[in-house]
Amino acid sequence: MYFLVGAVFFIWLTLFYQEKQRNLLVNFFDIGQGDAIFVEAPGGNQILIDGGPGDRVLAKLGEELPFWDRSLDLLVLTHPHADHLDGLLEVLKRYKVGMVVETGDEYDTPEYQEWRNLLREKNIPVVLARFGQEISLGGGVRLDIFYPFRDYQGVLLKNPHEANIVSRLSYGRDSFLFTGDGEKATEYEMLFIARAGTYGNFLNLSSDVLKVGHHGSKTSSSEDFARAVGPNLAVISAGKDNSYGHPHQATLDTLAKLNIPVSRTDEKGDIKIESDGEKWWFK
Amino acid sequence: MAAFAAVVTSLKRRNKTVIIGGFMLIMFLSGVWRFSWAENMAPDLTPLFGRRIVFQGIVWEEPEIRDLNQRLKVKIYSVADEKINSFFALITLRRYPKYEAGEYMSFNGLLQAPPPEEDGNTYGKYLAKDGVFALSYFPKANKENRKQNSFVFYLLRLKRGFEEKINLAFPEPYAVFLRGLLLGERTSFPAELTRDFQKSGVSHLVALSGYNITIIGRFLLIVFTFLYIPFAASFWLASLGIVVFVLLAGASPSLVRAAVMGILVLLARREGRGYHITNALVLAGAVMVAINPLILRFDAGFQLSFLATAGLIFLSPGVEKTINNAAGFLRKKITGGKYSELVRARPAAGILKKTLVETLAAQIAVLPLLIFLFGSVSLVSPLTNVLVISAVPYAMGWGFVSSCLGFLSTALSRLAAVPAWLIMWYQLKVIKFFAGFSFSSFTFGKFTGVLTVFLYFAAAFWWFWLRRKNKEEI
């Protein structure tokens, strides 16, 4: 008897869950000093861009996904620094991952070694990110890769930020620019190509929401770039009282000068945004 | 000498009080001696500290995985390729790669002394109670790719395998909650959750105290009774169940202590709350302290489980009486005394009442200690505890079974995990809800240690005085 009631409840719960998801959801997880961004497309495809430090991303995913959903369609690792990579290791262990997008450069840490091992062990398809790639997430949502411009596979970089993945998520009229830890050099390279117009409309930097590069550090967010993106909202993913002093005052000044409103995970916790392709709102 | 004199004079006078008094004094002095002996047992490691050295050791316990690093308790047996009298060091390393209990490792780095005791900083003593006398932060670490294979290490590896099955069966934060319930693992608890647990007064659930083990034991008792197994046999089976559980969870000293307390409570239930159980509790406590005196002062887990057990045994009857009186009074008020005979408690209400009684008894007993340890006390704790604890055995039982199924098939364990998840979902919701009120926890200034000890002595004397008075009346 109880079992039956439980089963019926369960089925309805599933149905309601399937029903409700008609919008694009972007959630900038508050996972401390690092990045972890969850995206769910209207068709149900779920992606995670970076995993933050530690394991906090797991509890966030547990909240975001229903109990029975233990799979993610796509993981993006923007670059192999610990504050972007570490959380993804446990994600790989506990969730079934459909595909991984990364740059594939060399990086000498035990964590990155573990990442390589897990990818091999679980036989997960890996796509090396390159400018010009378009990933269709279904329901009219797409993720365009804007950076890196060249192949970094097997290259040992002094500064892994050089190969950092920048991508733009778009749904109808709304768009999000995910910059990872991209520095000013990366920003100017993209600006240069965008202004040259070589690739037509593909490299369109203009976006509604900008994930501010490198947790608001002064190594990123040049004024030219911020102006070119011209967002209605800048999201800064940084930890409370972090030892780096992120976000830097210079970055905050730049954004203030351009009248761009700022939301910070260290102040607001998770920053959850929904979009129906016409307009976006906080959830 | 004083003690000896006291005994001699007392023998002459044949005064019982003085004999007992003198005996207590002797015990007290030998206790002080044992404590200071243990305190000064630390090996002299100063020649090793403060310079770069190569040292080898065996990972002695399951690595403690923290948010950004891991801590290894390592038994160091060789320094600079020379065998030494082994000692324990607590070594902090990056989170990866992972290491296993029983693994041989070599390190290259700095060993340092635990911080000295000053301004109430008892971290050094806290470590000493676990036999740790040296620290090392991020030395170069290498696996030697060989393992010591003893029974304990085998158990620890089994525990780790079990943990992984829990992680696969449940998403977070349910996995960490279940790991806390079943294995007492608390280090990987998210900060938010820890705060909620403290505010609503249920932290003890994930501390694997004697209390938790009592819950397991009682649950087993109920199941066995349900299967028409005679009570005497059920008691032994339940105790056996606890032992198996302790082995599965890694059999650390604190866990063994908790299990002893848990079995004592079962015993109290069997014997009725008689005189023997008091002796058993005191004896168990005394033996544990004699083996490792430092736990008396520096192991909050031991203090909490001892006091909670004492509360369950000594305070439950009084609390039950008070609640019955209050309920009777209310019933009279509501029904005007007319139907009081007709309104009978139903079995479900009986279980709820029992949980309430036990929760209150344990809470009262640990209250001064909690204020001493944390400086705050949860006002909603009785309510949250009754609502949450009544579901704990089911969460533990289902959680345990469904995670074990993971050894066969992950899909199967996830399917079986659904009821456990629903139960834990309810529990976490309750905990979060009650932690949300601004008045849910009340902050005192911290009690000083002396005041805390005084309160407990006063309570004990009061209790004995009451008992004597009752006896005289009879």
mmCIF file of all heavy atoms in Angstrom, chain A residues 215-232:
data_model
loop_
_atom_site.group_PDB
_atom_site.id
_atom_site.type_symbol
_atom_site.label_atom_id
_atom_site.label_comp_id
_atom_site.label_asym_id
_atom_site.label_seq_id
_atom_site.Cartn_x
_atom_site.Cartn_y
_atom_site.Cartn_z
ATOM 1 N N HIS A 215 37.963 35.740 -12.063
ATOM 2 C CA HIS A 215 37.398 36.110 -10.751
ATOM 3 C C HIS A 215 37.505 37.611 -10.457
ATOM 4 O O HIS A 215 37.554 38.030 -9.312
ATOM 5 C CB HIS A 215 38.086 35.315 -9.628
ATOM 6 C CG HIS A 215 38.446 33.926 -10.031
ATOM 7 N ND1 HIS A 215 37.485 32.962 -10.230
ATOM 8 C CD2 HIS A 215 39.638 33.347 -10.328
ATOM 9 C CE1 HIS A 215 38.085 31.832 -10.624
ATOM 10 N NE2 HIS A 215 39.375 32.042 -10.701
ATOM 11 N N GLY A 216 37.579 38.427 -11.544
ATOM 12 C CA GLY A 216 37.642 39.875 -11.342
ATOM 13 C C GLY A 216 39.052 40.392 -11.101
ATOM 14 O O GLY A 216 39.237 41.529 -10.677
ATOM 15 N N SER A 217 40.046 39.557 -11.395
ATOM 16 C CA SER A 217 41.437 39.989 -11.239
ATOM 17 C C SER A 217 41.744 41.131 -12.204
ATOM 18 O O SER A 217 41.099 41.283 -13.238
ATOM 19 C CB SER A 217 42.366 38.811 -11.503
ATOM 20 O OG SER A 217 43.638 39.271 -11.893
ATOM 21 N N LYS A 218 42.788 41.913 -11.886
ATOM 22 C CA LYS A 218 43.115 43.034 -12.769
ATOM 23 C C LYS A 218 43.865 42.575 -14.010
ATOM 24 O O LYS A 218 44.133 43.371 -14.898
ATOM 25 C CB LYS A 218 43.927 44.074 -12.008
ATOM 26 C CG LYS A 218 45.277 43.587 -11.569
ATOM 27 C CD LYS A 218 46.071 44.689 -10.908
ATOM 28 C CE LYS A 218 47.353 44.097 -10.341
ATOM 29 N NZ LYS A 218 48.172 45.079 -9.661
ATOM 30 N N THR A 219 44.200 41.251 -14.075
ATOM 31 C CA THR A 219 44.851 40.740 -15.284
ATOM 32 C C THR A 219 43.853 40.576 -16.424
ATOM 33 O O THR A 219 44.227 40.310 -17.550
ATOM 34 C CB THR A 219 45.490 39.360 -15.022
ATOM 35 O OG1 THR A 219 44.466 38.492 -14.503
ATOM 36 C CG2 THR A 219 46.614 39.450 -14.025
ATOM 37 N N SER A 220 42.553 40.717 -16.098
ATOM 38 C CA SER A 220 41.521 40.554 -17.118
ATOM 39 C C SER A 220 40.639 41.798 -17.166
ATOM 40 O O SER A 220 40.869 42.755 -16.426
ATOM 41 C CB SER A 220 40.653 39.339 -16.803
ATOM 42 O OG SER A 220 41.449 38.193 -16.669
ATOM 43 N N SER A 221 39.620 41.756 -18.017
ATOM 44 C CA SER A 221 38.601 42.806 -18.102
ATOM 45 C C SER A 221 39.175 44.173 -18.461
ATOM 46 O O SER A 221 39.052 45.138 -17.709
ATOM 47 C CB SER A 221 37.829 42.927 -16.778
ATOM 48 O OG SER A 221 37.310 41.699 -16.394
ATOM 49 N N SER A 222 39.793 44.243 -19.622
ATOM 50 C CA SER A 222 40.205 45.550 -20.122
ATOM 51 C C SER A 222 38.949 46.341 -20.475
ATOM 52 O O SER A 222 37.903 45.774 -20.771
ATOM 53 C CB SER A 222 41.086 45.386 -21.362
ATOM 54 O OG SER A 222 40.358 44.676 -22.345
ATOM 55 N N GLU A 223 39.070 47.648 -20.441
ATOM 56 C CA GLU A 223 37.902 48.483 -20.697
ATOM 57 C C GLU A 223 37.366 48.272 -22.113
ATOM 58 O O GLU A 223 36.154 48.170 -22.324
ATOM 59 C CB GLU A 223 38.267 49.953 -20.482
ATOM 60 C CG GLU A 223 37.032 50.834 -20.422
ATOM 61 C CD GLU A 223 37.396 52.292 -20.235
ATOM 62 O OE1 GLU A 223 38.374 52.565 -19.520
ATOM 63 O OE2 GLU A 223 36.690 53.142 -20.809
ATOM 64 N N ASP A 224 38.278 48.144 -23.083
ATOM 65 C CA ASP A 224 37.862 47.937 -24.473
ATOM 66 C C ASP A 224 36.994 46.692 -24.605
ATOM 67 O O ASP A 224 35.970 46.686 -25.286
ATOM 68 C CB ASP A 224 39.092 47.773 -25.378
ATOM 69 C CG ASP A 224 39.863 49.076 -25.495
ATOM 70 O OD1 ASP A 224 39.203 50.141 -25.429
ATOM 71 O OD2 ASP A 224 41.099 49.023 -25.609
ATOM 72 N N PHE A 225 37.444 45.637 -23.917
ATOM 73 C CA PHE A 225 36.736 44.362 -24.011
ATOM 74 C C PHE A 225 35.358 44.482 -23.370
ATOM 75 O O PHE A 225 34.342 44.092 -23.960
ATOM 76 C CB PHE A 225 37.557 43.270 -23.320
ATOM 77 C CG PHE A 225 36.942 41.902 -23.400
ATOM 78 C CD1 PHE A 225 36.906 41.216 -24.609
ATOM 79 C CD2 PHE A 225 36.388 41.300 -22.279
ATOM 80 C CE1 PHE A 225 36.336 39.953 -24.692
ATOM 81 C CE2 PHE A 225 35.820 40.047 -22.354
ATOM 82 C CZ PHE A 225 35.792 39.368 -23.565
ATOM 83 N N ALA A 226 35.321 45.037 -22.152
ATOM 84 C CA ALA A 226 34.046 45.183 -21.450
ATOM 85 C C ALA A 226 33.079 46.020 -22.283
ATOM 86 O O ALA A 226 31.885 45.720 -22.368
ATOM 87 C CB ALA A 226 34.270 45.819 -20.087
ATOM 88 N N ARG A 227 33.615 47.043 -22.937
ATOM 89 C CA ARG A 227 32.775 47.894 -23.772
ATOM 90 C C ARG A 227 32.234 47.114 -24.968
ATOM 91 O O ARG A 227 31.049 47.219 -25.315
ATOM 92 C CB ARG A 227 33.595 49.097 -24.259
ATOM 93 C CG ARG A 227 32.754 50.318 -24.612
ATOM 94 C CD ARG A 227 33.624 51.393 -25.242
ATOM 95 N NE ARG A 227 34.575 52.014 -24.328
ATOM 96 C CZ ARG A 227 34.238 53.008 -23.490
ATOM 97 N NH1 ARG A 227 33.014 53.482 -23.473
ATOM 98 N NH2 ARG A 227 35.143 53.521 -22.692
ATOM 99 N N ALA A 228 33.100 46.292 -25.568
ATOM 100 C CA ALA A 228 32.685 45.520 -26.739
ATOM 101 C C ALA A 228 31.615 44.492 -26.372
ATOM 102 O O ALA A 228 30.693 44.244 -27.145
ATOM 103 C CB ALA A 228 33.889 44.814 -27.360
ATOM 104 N N VAL A 229 31.729 43.906 -25.196
ATOM 105 C CA VAL A 229 30.725 42.915 -24.772
ATOM 106 C C VAL A 229 29.429 43.639 -24.403
ATOM 107 O O VAL A 229 28.333 43.177 -24.711
ATOM 108 C CB VAL A 229 31.239 42.082 -23.575
ATOM 109 C CG1 VAL A 229 30.165 41.101 -23.101
ATOM 110 C CG2 VAL A 229 32.501 41.321 -23.963
ATOM 111 N N GLY A 230 29.588 44.776 -23.729
ATOM 112 C CA GLY A 230 28.438 45.614 -23.376
ATOM 113 C C GLY A 230 27.314 44.878 -22.676
ATOM 114 O O GLY A 230 26.158 44.951 -23.096
ATOM 115 N N PRO A 231 27.623 44.137 -21.601
ATOM 116 C CA PRO A 231 26.600 43.308 -20.958
ATOM 117 C C PRO A 231 25.636 44.122 -20.096
ATOM 118 O O PRO A 231 25.926 45.265 -19.732
ATOM 119 C CB PRO A 231 27.428 42.387 -20.063
ATOM 120 C CG PRO A 231 28.623 43.205 -19.701
ATOM 121 C CD PRO A 231 28.908 44.073 -20.883
ATOM 122 N N ASN A 232 24.489 43.531 -19.796
ATOM 123 C CA ASN A 232 23.556 44.123 -18.844
ATOM 124 C C ASN A 232 23.851 43.646 -17.428
ATOM 125 O O ASN A 232 23.251 44.106 -16.470
ATOM 126 C CB ASN A 232 22.119 43.732 -19.175
ATOM 127 C CG ASN A 232 21.763 44.129 -20.579
ATOM 128 O OD1 ASN A 232 22.107 45.220 -21.026
ATOM 129 N ND2 ASN A 232 21.117 43.220 -21.307
#
